[in-house]
Amino acid sequence: MVLVGEAGRGDALTAVLSELLTRQNVMPEFERRERFRTNALLAESTGDSRVWVFVTRPSPYVARLYFRGPHGNRFLLRELLLKNGLDELGRELIAQVVETSTVALLRSEAGLSREEASRDLSLQGEPQDSGDDAPVVAAPPPSATSAEPPRDGDGAPPARGGPSRFAFELSARLAEKWAGSDFSLDTGIGAETGLGYRLSPSLFVRGRLVFEYGLGQSIETISANADTRTIALRFGVDLGTRQGLHGFAVGVSAGADVVRITPTSTPDASLAPSAQFTDTAPMMRLEVRYELTLEAFRASAGLFGDVALVDTHYDVRVGDEVIPVAEPWAVRPGLALTLGWCPPL
């Protein structure tokens, strides 16, 4: 990728270009030049399987992008209006168009012929020069691969008004929780959904709703035994960072555990199990997680701690006397795995 003139000043543009292209499994390499020359774009390159991209700014509020496809067979030309110049939104717009156009050239037959590209360059006022700069034809590395992007009617990728800052998520969830030494592990299955917002190319915030259905756990004490089944509901906020395919997030959420308790037996013949009953306890959750994103799919692994906001314990009543027999920890550790879908909006 060749950044020409003002487009090559600083590293902010290369950072967002790297982030979006890496998500498509395309590894960018950058160089900077002071001038754009059409002979560098239109050079014969039958042995080069890469996509070459030239980014220029003929004026502070206009960016022109020129693409040469693998082996120099197809070309794309794009002109973008930058409302506020090369600010954060301007950089994201350029990166979005570079991403979709690069993937289209790699994975489809979209593009112009060399003759068509040469004609359009002339219409833009770009001189057909031989110049002093040698054509860009480097020895090719192994071909990059990526998924095919959406295309419009003529096969070329659409130049949209800017990349979306929002992303929707829907995932299946598996959780393992431990409430204390008197309790067995509680396995929960469920789902989570979220709406994320990109604060910057690498920083995001996300609202997330979690549902977990416990498959059941047992309580075994010297006085009584019981089975419990817990439905956990949580709603909270995550703050995280993402670099390429990898992301890390920390989150805090609040909600409730709805617990159904079924006393099963007691070693003491003088005691009788009570009837099944349900209790609800307000909870908070702190969670840290690692996320791996591959195109529109995301997997995560996280550790969390559930914090009970009320004192919870299990008792045996003997006459008028209440004897505590099991008490969950105040902070209950767990781990969670998710696998889901995360298309940008």
Side-chain angles (χ1 to χ4, degrees):
M1 185 173 301
V2 181
L3 305 179
V4 180
E6 289 297 320
R9 304 288 188 263
D11 297 323
L13 180 58
T14 59
V16 68
L17 285 165
S18 295
E19 180 186 0
L20 293 188
L21 289 171
T22 301
R23 291 182 187 177
Q24 300 289 351
N25 297 327
V26 176
M27 301 297 110
E29 298 177 358
F30 297 96
E31 65 177 79
R32 291 171 168 81
R33 293 197 176 192
E34 287 303 316
R35 293 185 58 191
F36 168 69
R37 297 190 180 275
T38 57
N39 67 330
L41 173 68
L42 299 174
E44 299 278 353
S45 56
T46 56
D48 191 347
S49 61
R50 292 175 292 182
V51 172
W52 281 86
V53 184
F54 298 80
V55 181
T56 72
R57 289 181 67 203
S59 75
Y61 301 102
V62 174
R64 287 179 179 169
L65 314 179
Y66 306 98
F67 301 83
R68 185 175 78 214
H71 312 297
N73 294 328
R74 290 169 289 112
F75 301 82
L76 291 173
L77 282 63
R78 294 285 183 264
E79 182 171 293
L80 309 177
L81 297 179
L82 307 178
K83 182 178 179 181
N84 298 309
L86 203 60
D87 63 353
E88 181 179 354
L89 291 179
R91 294 191 295 269
E92 291 182 357
L93 174 58
I94 291 172
Q96 179 74 55
V97 176
V98 168
E99 176 195 15
T100 56
S101 299
T102 299
V103 173
L105 288 170
L106 284 169
R107 304 295 291 176
S108 75
E109 296 302 318
L112 306 171
S113 67
R114 180 174 280 100
E115 292 74 19
E116 291 170 327
S118 178
R119 181 195 63 210
D120 287 356
L121 286 167
S122 297
L123 293 175
Q124 285 186 353
E126 296 289 353
Q128 305 290 309
D129 55 32
S130 57
D132 298 327
D133 289 353
V136 179
V137 282
S143 298
T145 59
S146 60
E148 185 173 353
R151 293 173 289 166
D152 60 19
D154 64 0
R160 290 178 283 182
S164 174
R165 287 176 173 265
F166 293 93
F168 171 76
E169 299 182 23
L170 180 63
S171 302
R173 182 177 176 93
L174 173 67
E176 289 281 358
K177 296 179 282 186
W178 194 24
S181 57
D182 296 322
F183 301 82
S184 64
L185 282 175
D186 185 15
T187 301
I189 58 174
E192 65 177 44
T193 184
L195 181 64
Y197 179 78
R198 282 196 299 127
L199 301 171
S200 73
S202 60
L203 190 66
F204 68 89
V205 64
R206 174 176 58 208
R208 189 157 52 92
L209 177 64
V210 175
F211 167 81
E212 293 168 357
Y213 179 78
L215 300 181
Q217 63 182 155
S218 61
I219 306 173
E220 297 181 354
T221 72
I222 60 173
S223 301
N225 301 322
D227 292 332
T228 68
R229 191 179 296 272
T230 302
I231 294 176
L233 297 171
R234 303 286 188 272
F235 178 74
V237 177
D238 298 331
L239 181 65
T241 182
R242 185 166 291 117
Q243 296 290 340
L245 306 179
H246 308 283
F248 297 90
V250 296
V252 59
S253 59
D257 281 356
V258 181
V259 187
R260 186 181 68 192
I261 301 102
T262 306
T264 56
S265 63
T266 173
D268 190 340
S270 65
L271 301 176
S274 66
Q276 181 184 100
F277 63 97
T278 300
D279 194 16
T280 301
M283 306 289 291
M284 289 194 65
R285 175 174 291 179
L286 304 175
E287 184 169 357
V288 295
R289 56 197 279 168
Y290 163 76
E291 300 176 348
L292 175 66
T293 304
L294 297 172
E295 299 182 6
F297 297 94
R298 177 168 297 153
S300 76
L303 299 174
F304 63 84
D306 279 336
V307 181
L309 301 182
V310 295
D311 182 24
T312 302
H313 50 86
Y314 297 86
D315 306 326
V316 170
R317 182 182 296 274
V318 181
D320 294 332
E321 184 180 6
V322 177
I323 304 172
V325 295
E327 185 170 358
W329 291 334
V331 179
R332 304 162 194 177
L335 61 88
L337 302 175
T338 70
L339 179 62
W341 183 51
C342 56
L345 299 180

